[in-house]
Amino acid sequence: MLYKPVVYVTRSLQEPGPTLLSKYCHINMNDSVIPISKRQMVEKAKEVDAIVCMLGDKIDSEVIYSAGNRLKLISCYSAGYDHVDLEAATNKEIVVTNTPDILSETTADLTFALIFAVSRNVVKGDYYVKNAKWKFGWTPDLFLGTDVYGKVLGIIGLGNIGTKVARRAKGFEMDVIYHNRTRRYELESKFGLRYVDFHELLRRSDFISIHVDLNKDTYHMISFDELKKMKNTAFLINTARGKVVKEKDLVRALNKGLIAGAGLDVYEEEPVSRESPLLKTSNAVLLPHLGSATQETRSRMAEMAAMNVINFFRQIGPLHRVN
Ligand code: DGY
């Protein structure tokens, strides 16, 4: 590669991303973890051949259409790419790539962390001990939770992450049912899963875990009607995208006791506003979008996001294209 492309990295990127990129490209990296403004993004997009972007960076049609003809590649440091206007990028012949699958095991682990946190009062118990509220030692009815073992787990979306959640659930001897756009017969026999329609999944599950992409079909896929169909002993877990659940309706369902609780890693708006009624719920465990947040996975993602840039300009594979 004789020409060294100029790459803008929107926020500080883990190693080996910067080292790999600097071998083949001129890197311009925002060394902060704070996202740049929309105006800065518009300006940057005009000056570079590629952008490595992160969740929370809005690469919308204004950024893409004002970029001129130099920008050729948008490499997402994430599996999800709903923060990029794919239609605008495709119209401008800009290639968009992501970091699929390598974060699935890590996100499936976090899904189970939330399942246990809500059903076994892990967060409440920690608060209780640390705040010196534990006065009487072992107590017969202290923080009684709900078993995970033997319960019905309903998985919405049996893609990379959903499949890994299903495999873990079998280790806990859960009965796993799923709903997906297409039936996954090979996974059904491999892991002993059962396909059900969406409404049956809502009615039968003790835990529902969401693993779909955000798109026009999945936007607010879980709203009040769906929450009403769930058992009042059931828990909703979301490590996918916040906008799949209508948050206002979820708060209402939690406060009315229509469901037992929720474990959330993602929200309609991130960060969650200080005024959000979700913060006042007593039966939700809330995490700040940590699905892929381990040292190992973030460094694998950084490597893949960097290699997508390098391979694109060197015209060799693999390239994880999404358009
Ligand atoms: C992704 O990559 O889409 C995840 O949500 C990041 O944690």
mmCIF file of all heavy atoms in Angstrom, residues 4 39 72-73 88 102 106 113 120 131 137 142 152 161 167 169 182 191 193 196 218 238 257 259 265 283 297:
data_model
loop_
_atom_site.group_PDB
_atom_site.id
_atom_site.type_symbol
_atom_site.label_atom_id
_atom_site.label_comp_id
_atom_site.label_asym_id
_atom_site.label_seq_id
_atom_site.Cartn_x
_atom_site.Cartn_y
_atom_site.Cartn_z
ATOM 1 N N LYS A 4 -0.593 6.196 2.015
ATOM 2 C CA LYS A 4 -0.982 5.929 3.399
ATOM 3 C C LYS A 4 -2.289 6.662 3.686
ATOM 4 O O LYS A 4 -2.294 7.888 3.798
ATOM 5 C CB LYS A 4 0.092 6.447 4.354
ATOM 6 C CG LYS A 4 1.154 5.425 4.697
ATOM 7 C CD LYS A 4 1.969 5.946 5.869
ATOM 8 C CE LYS A 4 2.571 4.811 6.655
ATOM 9 N NZ LYS A 4 3.128 5.190 7.920
ATOM 10 N N ARG A 39 -20.807 18.836 14.886
ATOM 11 C CA ARG A 39 -20.101 19.758 13.994
ATOM 12 C C ARG A 39 -18.660 19.286 13.745
ATOM 13 O O ARG A 39 -18.182 19.265 12.630
ATOM 14 C CB ARG A 39 -20.120 21.168 14.610
ATOM 15 C CG ARG A 39 -19.919 22.297 13.609
ATOM 16 C CD ARG A 39 -20.007 23.649 14.293
ATOM 17 N NE ARG A 39 -19.211 23.707 15.513
ATOM 18 C CZ ARG A 39 -17.884 23.833 15.546
ATOM 19 N NH1 ARG A 39 -17.207 23.914 14.435
ATOM 20 N NH2 ARG A 39 -17.248 23.868 16.710
ATOM 21 N N LYS A 72 -14.007 6.847 2.305
ATOM 22 C CA LYS A 72 -14.311 5.585 1.614
ATOM 23 C C LYS A 72 -14.781 4.488 2.563
ATOM 24 O O LYS A 72 -15.366 3.501 2.123
ATOM 25 C CB LYS A 72 -13.040 5.056 0.900
ATOM 26 C CG LYS A 72 -12.542 5.939 -0.226
ATOM 27 C CD LYS A 72 -13.423 5.764 -1.456
ATOM 28 C CE LYS A 72 -13.013 6.625 -2.609
ATOM 29 N NZ LYS A 72 -13.368 8.041 -2.437
ATOM 30 N N LEU A 73 -14.436 4.644 3.855
ATOM 31 C CA LEU A 73 -14.703 3.535 4.774
ATOM 32 C C LEU A 73 -15.120 4.042 6.144
ATOM 33 O O LEU A 73 -14.521 4.983 6.682
ATOM 34 C CB LEU A 73 -13.436 2.687 4.929
ATOM 35 C CG LEU A 73 -13.503 1.546 5.944
ATOM 36 C CD1 LEU A 73 -14.370 0.402 5.422
ATOM 37 C CD2 LEU A 73 -12.115 0.996 6.265
ATOM 38 N N ALA A 88 -27.475 5.981 3.528
ATOM 39 C CA ALA A 88 -26.696 7.115 3.014
ATOM 40 C C ALA A 88 -25.289 6.655 2.641
ATOM 41 O O ALA A 88 -24.751 7.023 1.579
ATOM 42 C CB ALA A 88 -26.644 8.231 4.061
ATOM 43 N N ILE A 102 -17.068 -11.694 17.690
ATOM 44 C CA ILE A 102 -16.006 -11.815 18.702
ATOM 45 C C ILE A 102 -16.438 -11.316 20.083
ATOM 46 O O ILE A 102 -15.744 -11.557 21.053
ATOM 47 C CB ILE A 102 -14.708 -11.079 18.292
ATOM 48 C CG1 ILE A 102 -15.036 -9.692 17.771
ATOM 49 C CG2 ILE A 102 -13.909 -11.882 17.314
ATOM 50 C CD1 ILE A 102 -13.811 -8.863 17.506
ATOM 51 N N THR A 106 -18.701 -12.862 25.471
ATOM 52 C CA THR A 106 -18.611 -11.884 26.562
ATOM 53 C C THR A 106 -19.980 -11.274 26.866
ATOM 54 O O THR A 106 -20.343 -11.077 28.024
ATOM 55 C CB THR A 106 -17.593 -10.798 26.138
ATOM 56 O OG1 THR A 106 -16.369 -11.459 25.854
ATOM 57 C CG2 THR A 106 -17.365 -9.767 27.202
ATOM 58 N N ALA A 113 -25.048 -12.538 33.995
ATOM 59 C CA ALA A 113 -24.807 -11.705 35.187
ATOM 60 C C ALA A 113 -26.088 -10.954 35.541
ATOM 61 O O ALA A 113 -26.482 -10.874 36.707
ATOM 62 C CB ALA A 113 -23.658 -10.729 34.919
ATOM 63 N N ARG A 120 -31.684 -13.061 41.982
ATOM 64 C CA ARG A 120 -31.127 -13.479 43.269
ATOM 65 C C ARG A 120 -30.678 -12.283 44.121
ATOM 66 O O ARG A 120 -29.915 -12.441 45.058
ATOM 67 C CB ARG A 120 -29.959 -14.450 43.040
ATOM 68 C CG ARG A 120 -30.367 -15.754 42.358
ATOM 69 C CD ARG A 120 -31.429 -16.517 43.159
ATOM 70 N NE ARG A 120 -30.999 -16.780 44.518
ATOM 71 C CZ ARG A 120 -30.274 -17.841 44.903
ATOM 72 N NH1 ARG A 120 -29.950 -18.752 44.014
ATOM 73 N NH2 ARG A 120 -29.911 -17.991 46.159
ATOM 74 N N ASN A 131 -23.716 -1.360 53.612
ATOM 75 C CA ASN A 131 -24.286 -0.246 54.360
ATOM 76 C C ASN A 131 -24.657 -0.640 55.791
ATOM 77 O O ASN A 131 -25.473 0.025 56.430
ATOM 78 C CB ASN A 131 -25.479 0.344 53.609
ATOM 79 C CG ASN A 131 -25.001 1.115 52.397
ATOM 80 O OD1 ASN A 131 -24.594 2.260 52.508
ATOM 81 N ND2 ASN A 131 -24.969 0.451 51.254
ATOM 82 N N GLY A 137 -27.427 -11.960 61.114
ATOM 83 C CA GLY A 137 -26.832 -13.173 60.538
ATOM 84 C C GLY A 137 -27.800 -13.861 59.584
ATOM 85 O O GLY A 137 -28.689 -13.223 59.007
ATOM 86 N N LEU A 142 -34.560 -13.686 54.322
ATOM 87 C CA LEU A 142 -33.846 -12.495 53.833
ATOM 88 C C LEU A 142 -33.630 -12.567 52.309
ATOM 89 O O LEU A 142 -33.056 -13.534 51.804
ATOM 90 C CB LEU A 142 -32.484 -12.401 54.551
ATOM 91 C CG LEU A 142 -31.629 -11.172 54.259
ATOM 92 C CD1 LEU A 142 -32.328 -9.898 54.700
ATOM 93 C CD2 LEU A 142 -30.273 -11.294 54.966
ATOM 94 N N VAL A 152 -37.898 -21.537 32.526
ATOM 95 C CA VAL A 152 -38.017 -21.373 31.065
ATOM 96 C C VAL A 152 -37.358 -20.059 30.654
ATOM 97 O O VAL A 152 -37.724 -18.986 31.152
ATOM 98 C CB VAL A 152 -39.504 -21.356 30.621
ATOM 99 C CG1 VAL A 152 -39.616 -21.127 29.116
ATOM 100 C CG2 VAL A 152 -40.185 -22.660 31.021
ATOM 101 N N ILE A 161 -25.200 -13.973 19.559
ATOM 102 C CA ILE A 161 -25.240 -13.832 21.017
ATOM 103 C C ILE A 161 -26.342 -14.719 21.602
ATOM 104 O O ILE A 161 -26.126 -15.443 22.581
ATOM 105 C CB ILE A 161 -25.413 -12.351 21.434
ATOM 106 C CG1 ILE A 161 -24.229 -11.534 20.893
ATOM 107 C CG2 ILE A 161 -25.506 -12.217 22.955
ATOM 108 C CD1 ILE A 161 -24.340 -10.033 21.075
ATOM 109 N N ARG A 167 -26.718 -21.768 24.923
ATOM 110 C CA ARG A 167 -25.771 -22.809 25.331
ATOM 111 C C ARG A 167 -25.488 -22.723 26.835
ATOM 112 O O ARG A 167 -25.467 -23.716 27.536
ATOM 113 C CB ARG A 167 -24.467 -22.622 24.539
ATOM 114 C CG ARG A 167 -23.709 -23.900 24.348
ATOM 115 C CD ARG A 167 -22.393 -23.633 23.638
ATOM 116 N NE ARG A 167 -21.551 -22.768 24.419
ATOM 117 C CZ ARG A 167 -20.774 -21.813 23.915
ATOM 118 N NH1 ARG A 167 -20.748 -21.585 22.619
ATOM 119 N NH2 ARG A 167 -20.030 -21.073 24.697
ATOM 120 N N ALA A 169 -27.480 -21.447 29.061
ATOM 121 C CA ALA A 169 -28.718 -21.775 29.784
ATOM 122 C C ALA A 169 -28.854 -23.285 29.975
ATOM 123 O O ALA A 169 -29.359 -23.742 31.000
ATOM 124 C CB ALA A 169 -29.919 -21.234 29.015
ATOM 125 N N THR A 182 -36.136 -16.618 11.305
ATOM 126 C CA THR A 182 -36.146 -17.916 10.639
ATOM 127 C C THR A 182 -35.832 -18.998 11.663
ATOM 128 O O THR A 182 -35.085 -18.740 12.607
ATOM 129 C CB THR A 182 -35.073 -17.986 9.524
ATOM 130 O OG1 THR A 182 -33.842 -17.567 10.113
ATOM 131 C CG2 THR A 182 -35.403 -17.110 8.347
ATOM 132 N N PHE A 191 -28.697 -28.026 20.648
ATOM 133 C CA PHE A 191 -28.774 -27.568 22.044
ATOM 134 C C PHE A 191 -30.106 -27.908 22.730
ATOM 135 O O PHE A 191 -30.319 -27.521 23.873
ATOM 136 C CB PHE A 191 -28.561 -26.050 22.115
ATOM 137 C CG PHE A 191 -27.201 -25.609 21.642
ATOM 138 C CD1 PHE A 191 -27.057 -24.740 20.577
ATOM 139 C CD2 PHE A 191 -26.048 -26.080 22.271
ATOM 140 C CE1 PHE A 191 -25.799 -24.340 20.137
ATOM 141 C CE2 PHE A 191 -24.792 -25.693 21.846
ATOM 142 C CZ PHE A 191 -24.667 -24.820 20.778
ATOM 143 N N LEU A 193 -33.280 -26.865 21.825
ATOM 144 C CA LEU A 193 -34.095 -25.647 21.939
ATOM 145 C C LEU A 193 -35.435 -25.883 21.246
ATOM 146 O O LEU A 193 -35.546 -26.735 20.361
ATOM 147 C CB LEU A 193 -33.394 -24.462 21.254
ATOM 148 C CG LEU A 193 -31.883 -24.333 21.451
ATOM 149 C CD1 LEU A 193 -31.347 -23.139 20.664
ATOM 150 C CD2 LEU A 193 -31.566 -24.170 22.926
ATOM 151 N N VAL A 196 -40.850 -21.247 19.232
ATOM 152 C CA VAL A 196 -42.263 -20.940 19.524
ATOM 153 C C VAL A 196 -42.608 -19.595 18.870
ATOM 154 O O VAL A 196 -41.702 -18.822 18.540
ATOM 155 C CB VAL A 196 -42.533 -20.813 21.055
ATOM 156 C CG1 VAL A 196 -42.411 -22.155 21.767
ATOM 157 C CG2 VAL A 196 -41.624 -19.782 21.707
ATOM 158 N N THR A 218 -37.825 -4.126 14.677
ATOM 159 C CA THR A 218 -37.639 -4.479 16.095
ATOM 160 C C THR A 218 -37.797 -3.261 17.015
ATOM 161 O O THR A 218 -37.813 -3.416 18.225
ATOM 162 C CB THR A 218 -36.253 -5.116 16.333
ATOM 163 O OG1 THR A 218 -35.240 -4.174 15.963
ATOM 164 C CG2 THR A 218 -36.079 -6.397 15.545
ATOM 165 N N ASN A 238 -32.321 -7.178 28.823
ATOM 166 C CA ASN A 238 -31.977 -6.580 27.519
ATOM 167 C C ASN A 238 -30.510 -6.172 27.475
ATOM 168 O O ASN A 238 -30.087 -5.242 28.163
ATOM 169 C CB ASN A 238 -32.872 -5.362 27.223
ATOM 170 C CG ASN A 238 -32.717 -4.870 25.785
ATOM 171 O OD1 ASN A 238 -32.001 -5.491 24.987
ATOM 172 N ND2 ASN A 238 -33.374 -3.775 25.446
ATOM 173 N N GLY A 257 -46.065 -3.979 38.903
ATOM 174 C CA GLY A 257 -45.863 -5.400 39.232
ATOM 175 C C GLY A 257 -46.377 -6.338 38.151
ATOM 176 O O GLY A 257 -46.659 -7.503 38.415
ATOM 177 N N ILE A 259 -44.591 -7.385 35.739
ATOM 178 C CA ILE A 259 -43.496 -8.357 35.642
ATOM 179 C C ILE A 259 -42.672 -8.213 36.928
ATOM 180 O O ILE A 259 -42.768 -7.191 37.625
ATOM 181 C CB ILE A 259 -42.627 -8.158 34.368
ATOM 182 C CG1 ILE A 259 -41.890 -6.820 34.366
ATOM 183 C CG2 ILE A 259 -43.456 -8.302 33.117
ATOM 184 C CD1 ILE A 259 -40.840 -6.705 33.256
ATOM 185 N N ASP A 265 -28.910 -3.463 30.143
ATOM 186 C CA ASP A 265 -27.566 -2.941 29.870
ATOM 187 C C ASP A 265 -27.633 -1.839 28.825
ATOM 188 O O ASP A 265 -26.641 -1.173 28.562
ATOM 189 C CB ASP A 265 -26.685 -4.094 29.357
ATOM 190 C CG ASP A 265 -25.219 -3.715 29.234
ATOM 191 O OD1 ASP A 265 -24.719 -3.016 30.135
ATOM 192 O OD2 ASP A 265 -24.568 -4.104 28.239
ATOM 193 N N ASN A 283 -37.167 -2.718 41.143
ATOM 194 C CA ASN A 283 -36.998 -4.090 40.671
ATOM 195 C C ASN A 283 -36.258 -4.175 39.329
ATOM 196 O O ASN A 283 -36.492 -5.092 38.543
ATOM 197 C CB ASN A 283 -38.370 -4.792 40.591
ATOM 198 C CG ASN A 283 -39.429 -3.890 39.962
ATOM 199 O OD1 ASN A 283 -39.146 -2.730 39.635
ATOM 200 N ND2 ASN A 283 -40.625 -4.403 39.792
ATOM 201 N N THR A 297 -11.967 -8.852 25.190
ATOM 202 C CA THR A 297 -12.869 -8.631 24.049
ATOM 203 C C THR A 297 -12.657 -7.263 23.425
ATOM 204 O O THR A 297 -12.632 -7.121 22.200
ATOM 205 C CB THR A 297 -14.328 -8.862 24.487
ATOM 206 O OG1 THR A 297 -14.436 -10.250 24.732
ATOM 207 C CG2 THR A 297 -15.324 -8.462 23.434
#
